Amino acid sequence: MRITLLAGGVGGARFTRGLRDLLARRGVPAELTVVVNTGDDMWLDGLRVCPDLDTVMYTLAGVVHPEQGWGREGETTRVSAELHAYGLGWPWFTLGDLDIATHVARTELLRRGLPLSEVTARLSGRWDLGARLLPMSDQSVETHVELADGFGVVHFEEWWVRLRAATPARRFVQVGVEEAVAAPGVLDAIAGADVVLLPPSNPVVSIGTVLGVPGIRDALRATAAPVVGVAPIVGDAPVRGMADACLTTIGVETTALAVGEHYGARSRGGLLDGWLVDDTDADAVPALAEAGIEARALPLLMGDDAGPDGLTATDAIVLAALDLVGLGSRLR
């Protein structure tokens, strides 16, 4: 089974880990390819930092900080403290010592002339991830936020981490996205998949940024594989983070129905064939069907504790996504 996922940070990483683990437990041979958002990337203290790529890599490697969902487990922050003492870095964005080693390695390889896709392969090759990680593009794309009321423009990470998205945004600007090219393997992974999955990731600044790379949106529309998404909204609120602030900026309501309609049905020029919503949003299923999107409602909060049927909450979500396109039976 060839499965391609378009992912952002924590939600995309945890969903991918659950999918990989379920496939392994059921003995189903599979090729997983994860196309990861790089719009959050930035230079900090002379190092190239790729937050979403690292979150997916650390999660699949089993070394992610379990409570945070990002960064390394068992971190220390002595290096960042020294840099801050020299007046460098952002005191509100602290890199852990183990994490800094990743950024040093990435920066060194980039300076040797390797493209980001090759660098990512080198870094992820350290672990048995059970998946191939691809940046959405080898070209630099950075999401900037134009703040409302004339407060200027900041990098997305400053708006997200320091300002906690509390300062209203006028618009998001993906600097460099129009000139970017899909990284090697990305379009082939979409075209050759048995199914394409959109895990619960921020639809504006994660999945939306990936879709902004020329060619990727068209590849999703053209692939013979069904495209199924998992709503990142439960009961009119984001499962994690401040996606509601992002949706408000682009004029989309913070509901599972509105996000599904924002992606749109492939049969009507959009992207989705199927869409999972939480059971608290079950009343959206008929409206989604009218919009041309097959939908199903079930609990969408991921978890790793097995129930009486031996399935975790994450397993149930993965199976439901595959059931929508007739592939779930291969894992039962």
Side-chain angles (χ1 to χ4, degrees):
M1 191 184 299
R2 293 166 298 176
I3 303 176
T4 298
L5 305 97
L6 274 58
V10 177
R14 288 178 172 172
F15 182 92
T16 303
R17 180 181 61 191
L19 171 63
R20 179 202 62 185
D21 292 351
L22 180 60
L23 289 164
R25 292 200 308 274
R26 297 302 166 89
V28 177
E31 296 178 5
L32 300 186
T33 300
V34 192
V35 180
V36 183
N37 167 51
T38 57
D40 296 5
D41 294 6
M42 59 189 172
W43 288 100
L44 180 62
D45 298 328
L47 302 176
R48 191 60 176 170
V49 180
C50 300
D52 282 0
L53 275 170
D54 291 341
T55 294
V56 176
M57 181 174 70
Y58 294 155
T59 300
L60 295 180
V63 297
V64 75
H65 192 293
E67 286 78 32
Q68 293 178 166
W70 49 269
R72 292 286 298 274
E73 183 176 19
E75 271 288 21
T76 52
T77 57
R78 294 181 66 186
V79 174
S80 283
E82 284 296 295
L83 289 169
H84 295 161
Y86 286 120
L88 298 176
W90 297 332
W92 45 266
F93 194 93
T94 299
L95 300 175
D97 296 338
L98 296 173
D99 199 29
I100 285 175
T102 299
H103 308 319
V104 170
R106 176 184 293 115
T107 304
E108 170 62 19
L109 293 171
L110 288 171
R111 286 177 173 160
R112 291 183 190 178
L114 273 66
L116 181 59
S117 53
E118 290 189 28
V119 172
T120 301
R122 285 277 297 271
L123 297 181
S124 59
R126 172 183 175 185
W127 291 284
D128 181 13
L129 302 184
R132 176 177 58 151
L133 303 191
L134 297 177
M136 65 186 195
S137 176
D138 279 335
Q139 286 72 46
S140 173
V141 177
E142 291 192 6
T143 300
H144 294 181
V145 183
E146 183 180 316
L147 302 176
D149 301 324
F151 285 107
V153 178
V154 298
H155 190 281
F156 171 75
E157 288 292 346
E158 182 170 1
W159 183 70
W160 194 253
V161 178
R162 185 174 75 86
L163 300 178
R164 302 298 298 168
T167 301
R170 186 187 308 276
R171 66 184 182 120
F172 300 103
V173 181
Q174 276 81 26
V175 179
V177 74
E178 294 180 356
E179 296 77 35
V181 177
V186 168
L187 300 183
D188 288 342
I190 294 172
D194 293 310
V195 61
V196 178
L197 299 175
L198 308 185
S201 300
N202 191 307
V204 182
V205 294
S206 292
I207 302 299
T209 305
V210 175
L211 295 175
V213 176
I216 292 182
R217 185 182 295 270
D218 289 341
L220 280 175
R221 288 176 174 150
T223 182
V227 180
V228 179
V230 181
I233 306 298
V234 170
D236 301 345
V239 175
R240 184 183 178 93
M242 293 79 69
D244 50 341
C246 299
L247 290 166
T248 297
T249 298
I250 66 169
V252 175
E253 292 182 356
T254 305
T255 67
L257 171 60
V259 174
E261 292 176 332
H262 169 67
Y263 285 132
R266 275 217 294 173
S267 60
R268 303 180 186 179
L271 301 175
L272 294 176
D273 297 301
W275 187 236
L276 295 185
V277 302
D278 189 74
D279 53 4
T280 61
D281 301 310
D283 57 354
V285 172
L288 288 161
E290 289 183 9
I293 303 170
E294 185 176 356
R296 181 172 298 178
L298 74 159
L300 287 188
L301 297 181
M302 290 186 284
D304 298 325
D305 294 329
D309 57 0
L311 297 175
T312 69
T314 306
D315 292 339
I317 297 167
V318 170
L319 285 170
L322 296 177
D323 278 340
L324 274 176
V325 293
L327 293 175
S329 60
R330 295 176 63 177
L331 277 73
R332 295 185 186 281

